[in-house]
Amino acid sequence: MAYANKKSGQTRLTQWLLIAALVILADQFTKVLILGSFQYGDSRYVTSFFNVVRVHNTGAAFSFLAQAAGWQRWFFVALGLAAAAFIGVMLKRHGQQRLFASALTLILGGAIGNVIDRLLHGYVVDFIQLHYAGWYFPSFNVADSAITLGALLLILDELRRVRRG
């Protein structure tokens, strides 16, 4: 019986890791397209609220620490890898909790996608720009979107857990 549960848990972990790999592939594929089609700083109008741009972010969310002396690259690589390891453990332990594991999987895929950028380029490639009436939201990418959606799902999971308790 314990063997069957262990095998089932391993299968779930594999499924979550495959989904994270799809997030990473989507993120990296879109970034390759941007790097191949846009020069740094280029912007293309798409709609009245959306542009495709090419910007480089050496910092974290909203360019936090972007102006630091360069140490932040390795700090964010280490932070991303530590988060990925922690999430891997959590997925192994709680992979049967669909909403929770889905949230962690999205965060995992996004974190690794951005770590890959930092290792390859020294910065994260951002290209999605939302704007309205002269106000521009900081540019982001597929990895950032996955991390944000994962964080929202974590909040939803916790709210559901509290309501049940």
Side-chain angles (χ1 to χ4, degrees), residues 134-146:
W135 175 83
Y136 288 79
F137 190 78
S139 299
F140 57 99
N141 57 43
V142 172
D144 299 333
S145 300

PDB file of all heavy atoms in Angstrom, residues 134-146:
ATOM      1  N   GLY A 134      -1.813  57.635 -20.741  1.00  0.00           N
ATOM      2  CA  GLY A 134      -0.490  58.135 -20.392  1.00  0.00           C
ATOM      3  C   GLY A 134       0.167  57.440 -19.211  1.00  0.00           C
ATOM      4  O   GLY A 134       1.305  57.734 -18.864  1.00  0.00           O
ATOM      5  N   TRP A 135      -0.533  56.511 -18.578  1.00  0.00           N
ATOM      6  CA  TRP A 135       0.024  55.744 -17.461  1.00  0.00           C
ATOM      7  C   TRP A 135       0.499  54.401 -17.993  1.00  0.00           C
ATOM      8  O   TRP A 135      -0.241  53.714 -18.685  1.00  0.00           O
ATOM      9  CB  TRP A 135      -1.036  55.540 -16.374  1.00  0.00           C
ATOM     10  CG  TRP A 135      -0.579  54.668 -15.258  1.00  0.00           C
ATOM     11  CD1 TRP A 135       0.162  55.046 -14.180  1.00  0.00           C
ATOM     12  CD2 TRP A 135      -0.812  53.265 -15.111  1.00  0.00           C
ATOM     13  NE1 TRP A 135       0.406  53.966 -13.367  1.00  0.00           N
ATOM     14  CE2 TRP A 135      -0.188  52.852 -13.924  1.00  0.00           C
ATOM     15  CE3 TRP A 135      -1.481  52.312 -15.872  1.00  0.00           C
ATOM     16  CZ2 TRP A 135      -0.218  51.540 -13.473  1.00  0.00           C
ATOM     17  CZ3 TRP A 135      -1.501  51.003 -15.424  1.00  0.00           C
ATOM     18  CH2 TRP A 135      -0.887  50.638 -14.234  1.00  0.00           C
ATOM     19  N   TYR A 136       1.722  54.026 -17.681  1.00  0.00           N
ATOM     20  CA  TYR A 136       2.312  52.778 -18.160  1.00  0.00           C
ATOM     21  C   TYR A 136       2.635  51.860 -16.994  1.00  0.00           C
ATOM     22  O   TYR A 136       3.362  52.250 -16.080  1.00  0.00           O
ATOM     23  CB  TYR A 136       3.594  53.052 -18.960  1.00  0.00           C
ATOM     24  CG  TYR A 136       3.308  53.666 -20.303  1.00  0.00           C
ATOM     25  CD1 TYR A 136       3.023  55.024 -20.419  1.00  0.00           C
ATOM     26  CD2 TYR A 136       3.291  52.888 -21.446  1.00  0.00           C
ATOM     27  CE1 TYR A 136       2.739  55.587 -21.646  1.00  0.00           C
ATOM     28  CE2 TYR A 136       3.014  53.441 -22.678  1.00  0.00           C
ATOM     29  CZ  TYR A 136       2.734  54.786 -22.772  1.00  0.00           C
ATOM     30  OH  TYR A 136       2.446  55.333 -23.987  1.00  0.00           O
ATOM     31  N   PHE A 137       2.077  50.649 -17.045  1.00  0.00           N
ATOM     32  CA  PHE A 137       2.415  49.623 -16.059  1.00  0.00           C
ATOM     33  C   PHE A 137       3.802  49.101 -16.415  1.00  0.00           C
ATOM     34  O   PHE A 137       4.129  48.979 -17.596  1.00  0.00           O
ATOM     35  CB  PHE A 137       1.375  48.492 -16.117  1.00  0.00           C
ATOM     36  CG  PHE A 137       1.485  47.502 -15.008  1.00  0.00           C
ATOM     37  CD1 PHE A 137       0.991  47.800 -13.750  1.00  0.00           C
ATOM     38  CD2 PHE A 137       2.093  46.267 -15.209  1.00  0.00           C
ATOM     39  CE1 PHE A 137       1.097  46.884 -12.701  1.00  0.00           C
ATOM     40  CE2 PHE A 137       2.205  45.358 -14.175  1.00  0.00           C
ATOM     41  CZ  PHE A 137       1.699  45.674 -12.926  1.00  0.00           C
ATOM     42  N   PRO A 138       4.645  48.769 -15.434  1.00  0.00           N
ATOM     43  CA  PRO A 138       5.974  48.234 -15.770  1.00  0.00           C
ATOM     44  C   PRO A 138       5.864  46.999 -16.686  1.00  0.00           C
ATOM     45  O   PRO A 138       4.999  46.153 -16.503  1.00  0.00           O
ATOM     46  CB  PRO A 138       6.551  47.849 -14.407  1.00  0.00           C
ATOM     47  CG  PRO A 138       5.846  48.755 -13.437  1.00  0.00           C
ATOM     48  CD  PRO A 138       4.457  48.903 -13.989  1.00  0.00           C
ATOM     49  N   SER A 139       6.748  46.939 -17.659  1.00  0.00           N
ATOM     50  CA  SER A 139       6.740  45.835 -18.612  1.00  0.00           C
ATOM     51  C   SER A 139       7.008  44.514 -17.901  1.00  0.00           C
ATOM     52  O   SER A 139       7.707  44.460 -16.894  1.00  0.00           O
ATOM     53  CB  SER A 139       7.793  46.068 -19.688  1.00  0.00           C
ATOM     54  OG  SER A 139       7.503  47.253 -20.389  1.00  0.00           O
ATOM     55  N   PHE A 140       6.447  43.446 -18.473  1.00  0.00           N
ATOM     56  CA  PHE A 140       6.592  42.119 -17.874  1.00  0.00           C
ATOM     57  C   PHE A 140       6.625  41.071 -18.972  1.00  0.00           C
ATOM     58  O   PHE A 140       6.664  41.407 -20.154  1.00  0.00           O
ATOM     59  CB  PHE A 140       5.488  41.850 -16.842  1.00  0.00           C
ATOM     60  CG  PHE A 140       4.078  41.967 -17.379  1.00  0.00           C
ATOM     61  CD1 PHE A 140       3.374  40.830 -17.737  1.00  0.00           C
ATOM     62  CD2 PHE A 140       3.459  43.205 -17.507  1.00  0.00           C
ATOM     63  CE1 PHE A 140       2.076  40.924 -18.218  1.00  0.00           C
ATOM     64  CE2 PHE A 140       2.158  43.312 -17.983  1.00  0.00           C
ATOM     65  CZ  PHE A 140       1.468  42.173 -18.341  1.00  0.00           C
ATOM     66  N   ASN A 141       6.638  39.788 -18.597  1.00  0.00           N
ATOM     67  CA  ASN A 141       6.767  38.704 -19.566  1.00  0.00           C
ATOM     68  C   ASN A 141       5.879  37.527 -19.158  1.00  0.00           C
ATOM     69  O   ASN A 141       5.125  37.617 -18.183  1.00  0.00           O
ATOM     70  CB  ASN A 141       8.234  38.288 -19.700  1.00  0.00           C
ATOM     71  CG  ASN A 141       8.832  37.865 -18.371  1.00  0.00           C
ATOM     72  OD1 ASN A 141       8.218  37.150 -17.588  1.00  0.00           O
ATOM     73  ND2 ASN A 141      10.052  38.318 -18.101  1.00  0.00           N
ATOM     74  N   VAL A 142       5.975  36.429 -19.878  1.00  0.00           N
ATOM     75  CA  VAL A 142       5.163  35.243 -19.590  1.00  0.00           C
ATOM     76  C   VAL A 142       5.501  34.674 -18.207  1.00  0.00           C
ATOM     77  O   VAL A 142       4.611  34.291 -17.452  1.00  0.00           O
ATOM     78  CB  VAL A 142       5.345  34.173 -20.691  1.00  0.00           C
ATOM     79  CG1 VAL A 142       4.671  32.862 -20.314  1.00  0.00           C
ATOM     80  CG2 VAL A 142       4.792  34.689 -22.025  1.00  0.00           C
ATOM     81  N   ALA A 143       6.781  34.649 -17.857  1.00  0.00           N
ATOM     82  CA  ALA A 143       7.184  34.132 -16.539  1.00  0.00           C
ATOM     83  C   ALA A 143       6.556  34.963 -15.423  1.00  0.00           C
ATOM     84  O   ALA A 143       6.022  34.417 -14.449  1.00  0.00           O
ATOM     85  CB  ALA A 143       8.707  34.138 -16.411  1.00  0.00           C
ATOM     86  N   ASP A 144       6.610  36.282 -15.566  1.00  0.00           N
ATOM     87  CA  ASP A 144       6.005  37.160 -14.561  1.00  0.00           C
ATOM     88  C   ASP A 144       4.506  36.932 -14.467  1.00  0.00           C
ATOM     89  O   ASP A 144       3.935  36.954 -13.368  1.00  0.00           O
ATOM     90  CB  ASP A 144       6.269  38.627 -14.905  1.00  0.00           C
ATOM     91  CG  ASP A 144       7.745  38.979 -14.948  1.00  0.00           C
ATOM     92  OD1 ASP A 144       8.548  38.314 -14.257  1.00  0.00           O
ATOM     93  OD2 ASP A 144       8.100  39.916 -15.688  1.00  0.00           O
ATOM     94  N   SER A 145       3.876  36.717 -15.610  1.00  0.00           N
ATOM     95  CA  SER A 145       2.432  36.446 -15.626  1.00  0.00           C
ATOM     96  C   SER A 145       2.121  35.153 -14.888  1.00  0.00           C
ATOM     97  O   SER A 145       1.151  35.084 -14.124  1.00  0.00           O
ATOM     98  CB  SER A 145       1.921  36.352 -17.068  1.00  0.00           C
ATOM     99  OG  SER A 145       2.161  37.560 -17.749  1.00  0.00           O
ATOM    100  N   ALA A 146       2.934  34.127 -15.105  1.00  0.00           N
ATOM    101  CA  ALA A 146       2.727  32.841 -14.425  1.00  0.00           C
ATOM    102  C   ALA A 146       2.918  32.995 -12.919  1.00  0.00           C
ATOM    103  O   ALA A 146       2.135  32.456 -12.126  1.00  0.00           O
ATOM    104  CB  ALA A 146       3.684  31.788 -14.983  1.00  0.00           C
TER     105      ALA A 146
END
